[in-house]
Amino acid sequence: MKNVVRNQQGFTLAEVLVALTIFAIGLLAVAGMQVTAIQTNSKANTLTAATAFAEGVLEEVLTRSIDDPTFAGDSTDNAWTLVASPPYVATFDVDRNYNGVLNVARVTVTVTGGGRTITLVGFKRTV
């Protein structure tokens, strides 16, 4: 008679190959997500730097005195550059009587750099 072994232990080569294939597909998906996360993190860093620069310029302009040439429309110094990688250029525009409202100036700051454009708006009483 034949001896039939009923207590088999271990895996067959086919089972191991199927398990390794599934594991490799999972690793490729995780690697793809990692690349996307790195790219998104870089874009977020650029956006954060441009926004921080725009906020700084806006605060600088808004803290100036009402007698400053900026609010009289005589200023020619309305473009600043932040030397970084990539460089950012900020320009601001002052609308002394915004929308016909007296004694209110609207300050618009636009920052370009890194393939992004950020625009911030602030208001200042001019009385």
Side-chain angles (χ1 to χ4, degrees), residues 35-96:
V35 169
T36 302
I38 290 170
Q39 290 172 342
T40 303
N41 190 27
S42 176
K43 290 177 185 176
N45 189 26
T46 302
L47 182 63
T48 301
T51 303
F53 183 45
E55 287 174 348
V57 171
L58 182 61
E59 288 177 11
E60 168 68 26
V61 173
L62 290 177
T63 57
R64 292 182 180 181
S65 167
I66 298 302
D67 301 328
D68 192 277
T70 301
F71 293 104
D74 301 332
S75 178
T76 57
D77 181 30
N78 66 343
W80 297 334
T81 301
L82 175 66
V83 179
S85 180
Y88 299 97
V89 177
T91 57
F92 65 89
D93 205 22
V94 176
D95 185 3
R96 181 133 171 107

Side-chain angles (χ1 to χ4, degrees), residues 1-23:
M1 260 239 175
K2 277 171 103 175
N3 274 342
V4 178
V5 179
R6 297 205 183 269
N7 190 8
Q8 297 180 2
Q9 294 187 5
F11 300 101
T12 64
L13 182 59
E15 291 172 328
V16 170
L17 288 175
V18 168
L20 283 175
T21 302
I22 292 171
F23 183 69

